[in-house]
Amino acid sequence: MWKYCGRSSSGERVAKTLFDFRSDVLKIKFMASPAIEISGLTKDYPSGFWRKKWRRALDGLTFDVREGEVFGFLGPNGAGKTTTIKLLLSLIFPTSGTARIRGRSIDDVEMHREVGFLPEQPYFYDYLTAREFLDYSARFFGFDAAERRERVTRFLEKVGLTGAANVQMRKFSKGMLQRVGIAQAILHDPPVIILDEPTSGLDPVGRREVREIILDLKRQGRTVFFSTHILPDAEVLCDSVAVLLGGKLQGVGTPREIVSIEVQGMEIHFEMPGGKPLPECLAKRATPSGSNYRLETPEAQLYNAIDELRGAGATILSITQLKPTLEDYFFHLVGKGKGPAYAIESSLK
């Protein structure tokens, strides 16, 4: 094969084959290109008894997901999140628009080798153990028996299920089933992982376990695209988010960009020593918080409030800025009537 000989930074001769150069070019291309590109994606469904009406589930969706980031796809139930994911995976086909994953069109069957997927409500064979199920899943990727054993053992350990590897999945909790599902999604080391509502229906412990797995995938340099209507999870996990409402995109950016960094006010936590009662002027504005009190005040009046508390003999415990959250932003959109939270029917032709 053709070779090129050059010198490294240390002056040593380096030989590269044509294959090496092609690999380098592909790496540069993937690093420069978004992991997921969505352009004008639209999906209409026929509805009604005579199938003459159309329901627009997704309307001109356009945004990019960068390589190596955790991207949250937010919206209420029925907003079009699962429809978008099904379109990306070619489980259904768009009415118009297109999308690409790592430079490959979603029409390209080979694209699926670079994607791991966990649906919102996966079904697993109840009487298989976690080890048997993952071994079965690994067969789809052509791994031989030795490599399957190694991968299954490694990924069971990664999701914290080594101790339950030989237990039938019908005995698993919802959180354990989600971890099995994530293990099968990453079993073939895909660079892009798509998770549909991975923390939905989990208790706080299960949600934390799934969040830790997602953060570990990010540390490995994987791109994680996940849908959710649990907004605190998105704030903790996501580098970027997109907000979907009624099938229409409402905003894309970092969580801070989406909600803006405007300070809404200041919150002062304080206590009254020795059970001393609050003065009447403070009692009307302060809110009890356990054995302490919480007082919200505009930023411009912060120092006046501090002087007032000190004058009353209060001990100030903390002062915190009040900023809008993703949850505030979402309910702001709904309250402003930017459209129904769910997709609507229309007489599209």
Side-chain angles (χ1 to χ4, degrees), residues 65 69-72 191 193 195 214 217-218 222-226:
V65 179
E69 75 174 348
V70 176
F71 191 97
I193 298 101
L195 309 174
I214 291 174
L217 291 171
K218 180 187 175 181
R222 314 282 184 93
T223 302
V224 181
F225 179 92
F226 77 96

Side-chain angles (χ1 to χ4, degrees), residues 149-168:
R149 282 194 298 272
E150 186 276 327
R151 282 179 176 268
V152 168
T153 300
R154 173 156 52 95
F155 285 101
L156 282 170
E157 182 179 0
K158 187 179 292 290
V159 298
L161 287 176
T162 301
N166 298 312
V167 176
Q168 290 180 334

Side-chain angles (χ1 to χ4, degrees), residues 156-226:
L156 282 170
E157 182 179 0
K158 187 179 292 290
V159 298
L161 287 176
T162 301
N166 298 312
V167 176
Q168 290 180 334
M169 289 188 290
R170 65 191 180 95
K171 299 178 182 179
F172 280 12
S173 66
K174 178 74 184 293
M176 294 172 73
L177 289 173
Q178 286 293 81
R179 284 186 276 162
V180 171
I182 292 175
Q184 68 80 30
I186 62 178
L187 194 60
H188 58 297
D189 289 319
V192 177
I193 298 101
I194 298 176
L195 309 174
D196 193 3
E197 300 278 3
T199 58
S200 179
L202 299 182
D203 60 23
V205 174
R207 283 173 57 191
R208 180 168 183 172
E209 290 170 345
V210 171
R211 287 200 301 264
E212 288 298 322
I213 293 172
I214 291 174
L215 290 173
D216 185 55
L217 291 171
K218 180 187 175 181
R219 286 189 286 269
Q220 297 170 29
R222 314 282 184 93
T223 302
V224 181
F225 179 92
F226 77 96

